[in-house]
Amino acid sequence: MQVGFIGIGVMGEPMALNMARAGIQLVVWNRNADKTQALAAAGALVAATPSDVFSKTSVVVLMLASDEAIDSVLQRGSAAFPTLVRGRTIVQMGTVSPEYSRALATDIEAAQGHYVEAPVSGSRKPAEEGQLVAMLAGDPAAIETVRPLLQPVCRQTVDCGAVPNALLMKLAVNLFLITMVTGLTEAFHFAERHALQLDKFVAVLDAGPMASNVSRVKLAKLFEQDFAVQAGITDVLKNNRLIAEAARRAQLASPLLDACYALYGETQELGLGQSDMVAVIRAIEARTDTTS
């Protein structure tokens, strides 16, 4: 079976490469064709258009950044949309709003297609290592079709029930991630401005009960002032916005998240949108320098 993969970005590229290297026959497309070169070298077929991907496959994975990009690829709202999705399983792995995902599922199912939500927890490094965690929602039979295809990408898949519960689960997980990494970064700033030995600060945290894979990776990046992207500021800001919107719709308070939203917005305004999320330290430093 050939599988389509559309969206070869920061996350999509390592995910698709792991699938191709595991022997899955991929047909891929990306708006910037240069991003498909590594996949072509790994044996994937590079399609000329998104429609070519659909014509050659029965399962199509979408790892796209926005509602608009998904609608464009699917030609949603046009006469071509039912032809593209009919009889096919669309696996939506990007982070979009739960409301959008629910509406997309309705449209695909009305066109006699199948829809699976499959957002993932993890950044580029876990994606490269095949250590992501996927949250799945949709028709159980469609999920079982998709699950084996995700084995090269994910160390675990978790069934979340009906659409859009997988995306709601992803937003809940990301709320913890964003506030945790922001708190870690602020603690690093506190230690640095008190002239503590930062290697010992890192050692204490690594040895203690708060240590995690995330804290170890992000502390190393802070210590080395390495802002090479794993989870970018722009993407974190988008996730933060989606979580806040979901909280408002449910009439939930989100005080920590709201503070983070302001900080990541300030970081983006500093021109660091494509830097890793630990670059939020620059916004924290700017606040310190303004008040000192």
Coordinates of all heavy atoms in Angstrom, one line a residue, residues 119-216:
P119 N -2.9 14.2 16.2 CA -1.8 15.1 16.7 C -0.8 14.4 17.5 O -1.1 13.3 18.1 CB -2.6 16.1 17.5 CG -3.8 15.4 18.0 CD -4.1 14.5 16.9
V120 N 0.4 14.9 17.6 CA 1.5 14.2 18.3 C 2.1 15.1 19.4 O 2.1 16.4 19.3 CB 2.6 13.8 17.4 CG1 2.1 12.7 16.5 CG2 3.2 14.9 16.6
S121 N 2.6 14.5 20.5 CA 3.3 15.2 21.5 C 4.8 14.9 21.3 O 5.2 13.8 21.2 CB 2.8 14.7 22.9 OG 3.6 15.3 23.9
G122 N 5.5 16.0 21.2 CA 7.0 15.9 21.0 C 7.4 16.9 20.0 O 6.6 17.4 19.2
S123 N 8.7 17.3 20.0 CA 9.3 18.2 19.1 C 10.1 17.5 18.0 O 10.0 16.3 17.9 CB 10.0 19.3 19.8 OG 11.1 18.7 20.6
R124 N 11.0 18.3 17.4 CA 11.8 17.7 16.3 C 12.7 16.6 16.7 O 12.8 15.6 16.0 CB 12.6 18.8 15.6 CG 13.3 18.3 14.3 CD 14.1 19.3 13.6 NE 14.8 18.7 12.4 CZ 14.3 18.6 11.2 NH1 13.1 18.9 11.0 NH2 15.0 18.0 10.3
K125 N 13.4 16.7 17.8 CA 14.3 15.6 18.3 C 13.6 14.3 18.5 O 14.0 13.3 17.9 CB 15.0 16.1 19.5 CG 16.1 15.0 20.0 CD 16.9 15.6 21.1 CE 17.8 14.5 21.7 NZ 18.8 14.1 20.7
P126 N 12.4 14.3 19.3 CA 11.7 13.0 19.4 C 11.2 12.5 18.0 O 11.1 11.3 17.8 CB 10.6 13.3 20.3 CG 11.0 14.5 21.1 CD 11.9 15.3 20.2
A127 N 10.8 13.5 17.1 CA 10.4 13.1 15.8 C 11.5 12.4 15.0 O 11.3 11.3 14.4 CB 9.9 14.3 15.0
E128 N 12.7 12.9 15.1 CA 13.8 12.2 14.5 C 14.1 10.9 15.0 O 14.5 9.9 14.3 CB 15.1 13.1 14.6 CG 15.0 14.4 13.9 CD 16.1 15.4 14.2 OE1 16.8 15.2 15.2 OE2 16.4 16.3 13.4
E129 N 13.8 10.7 16.3 CA 14.1 9.4 17.0 C 13.0 8.4 17.0 O 13.1 7.3 17.5 CB 14.6 9.7 18.4 CG 15.8 10.5 18.5 CD 16.1 11.0 19.9 OE1 15.3 10.8 20.8 OE2 17.3 11.5 20.2
G130 N 11.8 8.8 16.3 CA 10.7 8.0 16.3 C 10.0 7.8 17.7 O 9.5 6.8 18.0
Q131 N 10.1 8.8 18.5 CA 9.7 8.7 19.9 C 8.5 9.7 20.2 O 8.3 10.0 21.4 CB 10.9 9.1 20.8 CG 12.0 8.0 20.8 CD 11.5 6.7 21.4 OE1 11.0 6.6 22.5 NE2 11.6 5.6 20.5
L132 N 7.7 10.0 19.2 CA 6.6 10.8 19.5 C 5.4 10.0 20.1 O 5.5 8.8 20.1 CB 6.0 11.4 18.1 CG 7.0 12.4 17.4 CD1 6.5 12.7 16.0 CD2 7.2 13.6 18.2
V133 N 4.5 10.7 20.7 CA 3.3 10.1 21.2 C 2.1 10.6 20.5 O 1.9 11.8 20.4 CB 3.1 10.4 22.7 CG1 1.8 9.7 23.2 CG2 4.3 9.8 23.5
A134 N 1.3 9.7 19.8 CA 0.2 10.2 19.0 C -1.1 10.0 19.8 O -1.3 9.0 20.5 CB 0.1 9.4 17.7
M135 N -2.0 11.0 19.7 CA -3.3 10.9 20.2 C -4.3 10.7 19.1 O -4.3 11.5 18.1 CB -3.6 12.2 21.0 CG -2.7 12.3 22.3 SD -2.3 14.1 22.7 CE -0.9 14.3 21.6
L136 N -5.1 9.7 19.1 CA -5.9 9.3 18.0 C -7.4 9.5 18.3 O -7.9 9.1 19.4 CB -5.7 7.9 17.6 CG -4.2 7.5 17.3 CD1 -4.1 6.0 17.0 CD2 -3.6 8.3 16.2
A137 N -8.2 10.0 17.4 CA -9.6 10.1 17.5 C -10.3 9.9 16.2 O -9.7 10.3 15.1 CB -10.0 11.5 18.1
G138 N -11.4 9.3 16.2 CA -12.1 9.0 15.0 C -12.8 7.6 15.0 O -12.9 7.0 16.0
D139 N -13.2 7.2 13.8 CA -13.8 5.9 13.7 C -12.8 4.8 14.0 O -11.7 4.8 13.6 CB -14.3 5.7 12.2 CG -14.8 4.3 12.0 OD1 -15.9 4.0 12.5 OD2 -14.1 3.4 11.4
P140 N -13.2 3.8 14.9 CA -12.2 2.8 15.4 C -11.6 2.0 14.3 O -10.4 1.7 14.3 CB -13.1 1.9 16.3 CG -14.2 2.8 16.8 CD -14.5 3.8 15.7
A141 N -12.4 1.7 13.2 CA -11.8 0.9 12.1 C -10.8 1.7 11.4 O -9.7 1.2 11.0 CB -12.9 0.5 11.2
A142 N -11.0 3.0 11.2 CA -10.0 3.8 10.5 C -8.8 4.0 11.4 O -7.7 4.0 10.8 CB -10.7 5.2 10.2
I143 N -9.0 4.1 12.7 CA -7.8 4.2 13.6 C -6.9 3.0 13.4 O -5.7 3.1 13.4 CB -8.3 4.4 15.0 CG1 -8.8 5.9 15.2 CG2 -7.1 4.2 16.0 CD1 -9.4 6.1 16.6
E144 N -7.5 1.8 13.4 CA -6.8 0.6 13.3 C -6.0 0.5 11.9 O -5.0 -0.2 11.9 CB -7.6 -0.7 13.5 CG -8.2 -0.8 15.0 CD -7.1 -0.6 16.0 OE1 -6.0 -1.2 15.9 OE2 -7.2 0.3 16.9
T145 N -6.5 1.1 10.9 CA -5.8 1.2 9.6 C -4.6 2.0 9.7 O -3.5 1.7 9.2 CB -6.8 1.7 8.5 OG1 -7.9 0.9 8.3 CG2 -6.0 1.9 7.2
V146 N -4.7 3.1 10.5 CA -3.6 4.1 10.6 C -2.6 3.7 11.6 O -1.4 3.9 11.4 CB -4.3 5.4 11.0 CG1 -3.2 6.5 11.4 CG2 -5.1 6.0 9.9
R147 N -3.0 3.0 12.7 CA -2.0 2.7 13.8 C -0.7 2.1 13.3 O 0.4 2.5 13.8 CB -2.7 1.9 14.9 CG -2.0 1.9 16.2 CD -2.5 0.9 17.2 NE -4.0 1.0 17.4 CZ -4.6 1.8 18.2 NH1 -3.9 2.6 19.0 NH2 -5.9 1.9 18.3
P148 N -0.7 1.1 12.5 CA 0.6 0.4 12.1 C 1.5 1.4 11.3 O 2.7 1.3 11.4 CB 0.1 -0.7 11.2 CG -1.3 -1.0 11.6 CD -1.9 0.3 11.9
L149 N 0.9 2.3 10.6 CA 1.7 3.3 9.8 C 2.4 4.3 10.7 O 3.4 4.8 10.3 CB 0.8 4.1 8.9 CG -0.1 3.2 7.9 CD1 -1.0 4.1 7.1 CD2 0.8 2.4 7.0
L150 N 1.9 4.4 11.9 CA 2.6 5.4 12.9 C 3.7 4.7 13.7 O 4.4 5.4 14.5 CB 1.5 6.0 13.8 CG 0.4 6.8 13.1 CD1 -0.6 7.4 14.1 CD2 1.0 7.9 12.2
Q151 N 3.8 3.4 13.6 CA 4.8 2.7 14.5 C 6.2 3.2 14.3 O 7.0 3.4 15.2 CB 4.7 1.2 14.2 CG 3.5 0.6 14.8 CD 3.5 -0.9 14.6 OE1 4.3 -1.5 13.8 NE2 2.6 -1.6 15.3
P152 N 6.7 3.6 13.0 CA 8.0 4.1 12.9 C 8.2 5.5 13.4 O 9.3 6.0 13.5 CB 8.2 4.1 11.4 CG 7.2 3.2 10.8 CD 6.0 3.3 11.7
V153 N 7.1 6.2 13.7 CA 7.1 7.6 14.1 C 6.9 7.8 15.6 O 7.4 8.7 16.2 CB 6.0 8.3 13.3 CG1 5.9 9.8 13.7 CG2 6.2 8.2 11.8
C154 N 6.1 6.9 16.2 CA 5.6 7.1 17.6 C 6.0 5.9 18.4 O 5.8 4.7 18.0 CB 4.1 7.2 17.6 SG 3.5 8.6 16.6
R155 N 6.4 6.1 19.6 CA 6.6 5.0 20.6 C 5.4 4.6 21.2 O 5.3 3.5 21.8 CB 7.7 5.5 21.6 CG 7.3 6.6 22.5 CD 8.4 6.9 23.5 NE 8.1 8.1 24.3 CZ 7.4 8.1 25.4 NH1 6.8 7.0 25.9 NH2 7.2 9.3 26.1
Q156 N 4.3 5.4 21.1 CA 3.0 5.1 21.7 C 1.9 5.8 21.0 O 2.1 6.9 20.6 CB 3.0 5.4 23.2 CG 1.8 4.9 24.0 CD 1.9 5.1 25.5 OE1 3.0 5.4 26.0 NE2 0.8 4.9 26.2
T157 N 0.8 5.1 20.9 CA -0.5 5.8 20.4 C -1.5 5.6 21.5 O -1.6 4.5 22.1 CB -0.9 5.2 19.1 OG1 -1.2 3.7 19.3 CG2 0.1 5.4 18.0
V158 N -2.3 6.7 21.7 CA -3.3 6.7 22.7 C -4.7 7.0 22.1 O -4.8 8.1 21.5 CB -3.0 7.7 23.8 CG1 -4.1 7.7 24.9 CG2 -1.6 7.4 24.5
D159 N -5.7 6.1 22.2 CA -7.0 6.4 21.7 C -7.7 7.3 22.6 O -7.8 7.2 23.8 CB -7.8 5.1 21.6 CG -7.2 4.1 20.6 OD1 -6.2 4.4 20.0 OD2 -7.8 3.0 20.3
C160 N -8.3 8.4 22.0 CA -8.9 9.4 22.8 C -10.4 9.5 22.5 O -11.1 10.4 23.1 CB -8.3 10.8 22.4 SG -6.6 10.9 22.9
G161 N -11.0 8.6 21.7 CA -12.4 8.6 21.5 C -12.8 9.3 20.2 O -12.2 9.2 19.2
A162 N -13.9 10.1 20.3 CA -14.4 10.8 19.1 C -13.7 12.1 18.8 O -13.1 12.7 19.7 CB -15.9 11.0 19.3
V163 N -13.7 12.5 17.6 CA -13.2 13.8 17.2 C -14.1 14.9 17.9 O -15.3 14.7 17.9 CB -13.4 13.9 15.6 CG1 -13.0 15.4 15.2 CG2 -12.5 12.9 14.9
P164 N -13.5 15.9 18.5 CA -12.1 16.3 18.4 C -11.3 16.1 19.7 O -10.4 16.9 20.1 CB -12.2 17.8 18.2 CG -13.4 18.2 19.1 CD -14.3 17.0 19.0
N165 N -11.6 14.9 20.4 CA -10.9 14.7 21.6 C -9.4 14.6 21.6 O -8.7 14.9 22.5 CB -11.5 13.5 22.3 CG -12.9 13.7 23.0 OD1 -13.3 14.9 23.0 ND2 -13.5 12.7 23.5
A166 N -8.9 14.1 20.4 CA -7.4 14.0 20.3 C -6.8 15.4 20.3 O -5.8 15.6 21.0 CB -7.0 13.2 19.0
L167 N -7.4 16.3 19.6 CA -6.9 17.7 19.6 C -7.0 18.4 21.0 O -6.2 19.1 21.4 CB -7.5 18.5 18.5 CG -6.8 18.3 17.2 CD1 -7.6 18.8 16.0 CD2 -5.4 19.0 17.2
L168 N -8.2 18.1 21.6 CA -8.3 18.7 23.0 C -7.3 18.1 23.9 O -6.7 18.8 24.8 CB -9.7 18.4 23.5 CG -10.8 19.2 22.9 CD1 -12.2 18.7 23.3 CD2 -10.7 20.7 23.4
M169 N -7.0 16.8 23.8 CA -5.9 16.2 24.6 C -4.6 16.8 24.3 O -3.8 17.1 25.2 CB -5.9 14.7 24.3 CG -4.9 13.9 25.3 SD -5.6 13.8 26.9 CE -6.9 12.6 26.7
K170 N -4.3 17.1 23.0 CA -3.0 17.7 22.6 C -2.9 19.1 23.3 O -1.9 19.5 23.8 CB -3.0 17.8 21.1 CG -1.8 18.7 20.5 CD -0.5 18.1 20.7 CE 0.6 19.0 20.2 NZ 0.7 19.1 18.8
L171 N -4.0 19.8 23.3 CA -4.0 21.2 23.8 C -3.7 21.1 25.3 O -3.0 22.0 25.9 CB -5.3 21.9 23.5 CG -5.5 22.2 22.0 CD1 -6.8 23.0 21.9 CD2 -4.4 22.9 21.4
A172 N -4.3 20.2 26.0 CA -4.1 20.0 27.4 C -2.7 19.7 27.7 O -2.0 20.2 28.7 CB -5.0 18.9 28.0
V173 N -2.1 18.8 27.0 CA -0.7 18.4 27.1 C 0.2 19.6 26.9 O 1.2 19.9 27.6 CB -0.3 17.2 26.2 CG1 1.2 17.0 26.1 CG2 -1.0 16.0 26.7
N174 N -0.1 20.4 25.8 CA 0.7 21.5 25.5 C 0.6 22.7 26.5 O 1.6 23.5 26.6 CB 0.4 22.0 24.1 CG 1.1 21.3 23.0 OD1 1.8 20.3 23.3 ND2 1.0 21.7 21.7
L175 N -0.5 22.8 27.2 CA -0.6 23.8 28.2 C 0.5 23.5 29.3 O 1.2 24.4 29.7 CB -2.0 23.7 28.9 CG -2.4 24.9 29.7 CD1 -3.9 24.9 29.9 CD2 -1.8 24.9 31.1
F176 N 0.6 22.2 29.7 CA 1.7 21.9 30.6 C 3.0 22.1 30.1 O 3.9 22.7 30.7 CB 1.5 20.4 31.0 CG 2.5 19.9 32.0 CD1 2.8 20.6 33.2 CD2 3.3 18.7 31.7 CE1 3.8 20.2 34.0 CE2 4.2 18.3 32.6 CZ 4.5 19.0 33.8
L177 N 3.3 21.7 28.8 CA 4.6 21.9 28.2 C 5.0 23.4 28.2 O 6.1 23.7 28.6 CB 4.6 21.3 26.8 CG 5.8 21.6 25.9 CD1 7.0 20.9 26.5 CD2 5.6 21.3 24.5
I178 N 4.1 24.2 27.7 CA 4.4 25.7 27.6 C 4.7 26.3 28.9 O 5.7 27.0 29.1 CB 3.3 26.4 26.9 CG1 3.2 25.9 25.4 CG2 3.5 27.9 26.9 CD1 1.9 26.4 24.7
T179 N 3.9 26.0 29.9 CA 4.1 26.7 31.2 C 5.3 26.1 31.9 O 6.1 26.8 32.6 CB 2.9 26.5 32.1 OG1 2.5 25.1 32.2 CG2 1.7 27.3 31.6
M180 N 5.6 24.8 31.7 CA 6.8 24.1 32.3 C 8.1 24.7 31.7 O 9.0 25.1 32.5 CB 6.7 22.6 32.0 CG 8.0 21.9 32.5 SD 7.9 20.1 32.3 CE 7.9 20.0 30.5
V181 N 8.2 24.8 30.4 CA 9.4 25.3 29.8 C 9.6 26.8 30.1 O 10.7 27.2 30.3 CB 9.4 25.0 28.2 CG1 10.6 25.7 27.6 CG2 9.4 23.5 28.0
T182 N 8.5 27.5 30.1 CA 8.6 28.9 30.5 C 9.1 29.1 31.9 O 10.0 30.0 32.2 CB 7.3 29.7 30.3 OG1 6.8 29.4 29.0 CG2 7.4 31.2 30.5
G183 N 8.6 28.3 32.8 CA 9.1 28.3 34.2 C 10.5 27.9 34.3 O 11.3 28.6 35.1
L184 N 10.9 26.9 33.6 CA 12.3 26.5 33.6 C 13.2 27.6 33.1 O 14.3 27.9 33.7 CB 12.5 25.3 32.7 CG 13.9 24.7 32.5 CD1 14.3 24.0 33.8 CD2 13.9 23.6 31.4
T185 N 12.8 28.3 32.0 CA 13.6 29.4 31.5 C 13.7 30.6 32.4 O 14.8 31.2 32.6 CB 12.9 29.9 30.1 OG1 12.8 28.8 29.3 CG2 13.8 30.9 29.5
E186 N 12.6 30.9 33.1 CA 12.6 32.0 34.1 C 13.6 31.6 35.3 O 14.3 32.4 35.8 CB 11.2 32.3 34.6 CG 11.2 33.5 35.5 CD 9.7 33.9 35.9 OE1 8.8 33.7 35.1 OE2 9.5 34.4 37.0
A187 N 13.5 30.3 35.7 CA 14.4 29.9 36.8 C 15.9 30.0 36.3 O 16.8 30.4 37.1 CB 14.1 28.4 37.1
F188 N 16.2 29.7 35.1 CA 17.6 29.8 34.6 C 18.0 31.3 34.6 O 19.1 31.6 35.0 CB 17.6 29.2 33.1 CG 19.0 29.2 32.6 CD1 19.8 28.0 32.7 CD2 19.5 30.3 31.9 CE1 21.1 28.0 32.2 CE2 20.8 30.2 31.3 CZ 21.6 29.1 31.5
H189 N 17.1 32.1 34.2 CA 17.3 33.6 34.2 C 17.6 34.1 35.6 O 18.6 34.9 35.8 CB 16.1 34.3 33.6 CG 16.2 35.8 33.7 ND1 17.1 36.6 33.0 CD2 15.5 36.7 34.4 CE1 16.9 37.8 33.2 NE2 16.0 38.0 34.1
F190 N 16.8 33.6 36.6 CA 17.0 33.9 38.0 C 18.4 33.5 38.4 O 19.1 34.3 39.1 CB 15.9 33.3 38.8 CG 16.0 33.5 40.3 CD1 15.3 34.6 40.9 CD2 16.8 32.7 41.1 CE1 15.4 34.8 42.2 CE2 16.8 32.9 42.5 CZ 16.1 34.0 43.0
A191 N 18.8 32.3 38.1 CA 20.1 31.8 38.5 C 21.2 32.6 37.9 O 22.2 32.9 38.5 CB 20.2 30.3 38.2
E192 N 21.1 32.9 36.6 CA 22.1 33.6 35.9 C 22.3 35.0 36.4 O 23.4 35.4 36.6 CB 21.7 33.6 34.4 CG 22.7 34.3 33.5 CD 22.3 34.2 32.0 OE1 21.1 34.4 31.7 OE2 23.2 33.9 31.2
R193 N 21.2 35.7 36.7 CA 21.3 37.1 37.1 C 21.8 37.2 38.6 O 22.2 38.2 39.0 CB 20.0 37.8 36.9 CG 19.6 38.0 35.5 CD 20.7 38.9 34.7 NE 20.4 39.1 33.3 CZ 19.9 40.2 32.8 NH1 19.5 41.2 33.6 NH2 19.6 40.2 31.5
H194 N 21.7 36.0 39.3 CA 22.3 36.0 40.7 C 23.7 35.5 40.6 O 24.3 35.2 41.7 CB 21.4 35.1 41.6 CG 20.2 35.8 42.1 ND1 19.0 35.9 41.5 CD2 20.1 36.6 43.3 CE1 18.2 36.6 42.2 NE2 18.8 37.0 43.3
A195 N 24.3 35.3 39.4 CA 25.7 34.9 39.2 C 26.0 33.6 39.9 O 27.1 33.3 40.3 CB 26.6 36.0 39.8
L196 N 25.0 32.7 39.9 CA 25.2 31.3 40.3 C 26.0 30.6 39.2 O 26.0 30.9 38.1 CB 23.9 30.6 40.6 CG 23.0 31.2 41.6 CD1 21.7 30.4 41.8 CD2 23.7 31.3 43.0
Q197 N 26.7 29.5 39.7 CA 27.4 28.6 38.7 C 26.3 27.8 37.9 O 25.7 26.9 38.5 CB 28.4 27.7 39.4 CG 29.5 28.5 40.1 CD 30.5 27.5 40.8 OE1 31.0 26.6 40.2 NE2 30.7 27.8 42.1
L198 N 26.2 28.2 36.7 CA 25.1 27.6 35.9 C 25.2 26.1 35.7 O 24.2 25.4 35.6 CB 24.9 28.3 34.6 CG 24.5 29.8 34.7 CD1 24.4 30.5 33.3 CD2 23.1 29.9 35.4
D199 N 26.5 25.6 35.6 CA 26.6 24.2 35.4 C 26.1 23.5 36.7 O 25.6 22.3 36.5 CB 28.1 23.8 35.1 CG 29.1 24.3 36.2 OD1 28.7 25.3 36.9 OD2 30.2 23.8 36.3
K200 N 26.3 24.1 37.8 CA 25.8 23.4 39.1 C 24.3 23.5 39.2 O 23.6 22.6 39.7 CB 26.5 24.0 40.3 CG 28.0 23.7 40.3 CD 28.6 24.2 41.6 CE 30.1 23.7 41.6 NZ 30.8 24.2 42.9
F201 N 23.7 24.6 38.7 CA 22.3 24.8 38.6 C 21.7 23.7 37.8 O 20.7 23.0 38.1 CB 21.9 26.2 38.1 CG 20.5 26.3 37.7 CD1 19.5 26.5 38.7 CD2 20.0 26.3 36.4 CE1 18.2 26.7 38.4 CE2 18.7 26.5 36.1 CZ 17.8 26.7 37.1
V202 N 22.3 23.5 36.6 CA 21.9 22.4 35.7 C 22.0 21.0 36.4 O 21.1 20.2 36.3 CB 22.7 22.4 34.4 CG1 22.4 21.2 33.5 CG2 22.3 23.7 33.6
A203 N 23.1 20.8 37.1 CA 23.4 19.5 37.7 C 22.3 19.2 38.8 O 21.8 18.1 38.9 CB 24.8 19.5 38.3
V204 N 22.0 20.3 39.6 CA 21.0 20.1 40.6 C 19.6 19.7 40.1 O 19.0 18.8 40.5 CB 20.9 21.4 41.5 CG1 19.7 21.3 42.5 CG2 22.2 21.5 42.3
L205 N 19.2 20.5 39.0 CA 17.9 20.2 38.4 C 17.9 18.8 37.8 O 16.9 18.0 37.9 CB 17.6 21.2 37.4 CG 17.0 22.5 37.9 CD1 16.7 23.5 36.8 CD2 15.7 22.3 38.7
D206 N 19.0 18.4 37.1 CA 19.1 17.1 36.5 C 19.0 16.0 37.5 O 18.5 14.9 37.2 CB 20.4 17.0 35.6 CG 20.3 17.6 34.3 OD1 19.1 18.0 33.9 OD2 21.3 17.7 33.6
A207 N 19.5 16.2 38.7 CA 19.6 15.1 39.7 C 18.3 15.1 40.5 O 18.1 14.1 41.3 CB 20.8 15.3 40.6
G208 N 17.5 16.1 40.4 CA 16.3 16.2 41.3 C 15.0 15.6 40.7 O 15.0 15.1 39.6
P209 N 14.0 15.7 41.5 CA 12.7 15.1 41.1 C 12.0 15.8 40.0 O 11.0 15.2 39.4 CB 11.9 15.2 42.4 CG 12.4 16.3 43.2 CD 13.9 16.3 42.8
M210 N 12.4 17.0 39.6 CA 11.7 17.7 38.6 C 12.3 17.5 37.2 O 11.9 18.0 36.2 CB 11.7 19.2 38.9 CG 10.9 19.6 40.1 SD 11.1 21.3 40.5 CE 12.8 21.4 41.1
A211 N 13.4 16.7 37.2 CA 14.1 16.4 35.9 C 13.2 15.6 35.0 O 12.4 14.7 35.4 CB 15.4 15.7 36.2
S212 N 13.3 15.9 33.7 CA 12.6 15.1 32.7 C 13.4 15.2 31.4 O 14.4 16.0 31.3 CB 11.2 15.7 32.4 OG 11.3 17.0 31.8
N213 N 13.0 14.4 30.4 CA 13.7 14.5 29.1 C 13.6 16.0 28.5 O 14.5 16.5 28.0 CB 13.0 13.6 28.1 CG 13.4 12.1 28.4 OD1 14.3 11.8 29.1 ND2 12.5 11.2 27.9
V214 N 12.4 16.6 28.7 CA 12.3 18.0 28.2 C 13.2 18.9 29.0 O 13.9 19.8 28.4 CB 10.8 18.4 28.4 CG1 10.7 19.9 28.1 CG2 9.9 17.6 27.4
S215 N 13.2 18.8 30.3 CA 14.0 19.8 31.1 C 15.5 19.6 30.7 O 16.2 20.6 30.6 CB 13.8 19.6 32.6 OG 14.4 18.4 33.1
R216 N 16.0 18.4 30.5 CA 17.4 18.2 30.2 C 17.7 18.8 28.9 O 18.8 19.4 28.7 CB 17.7 16.7 30.3 CG 17.6 16.1 31.7 CD 18.1 14.7 31.7 NE 18.2 14.2 33.1 CZ 17.2 13.4 33.7 NH1 16.2 13.0 32.9 NH2 17.3 13.0 34.9

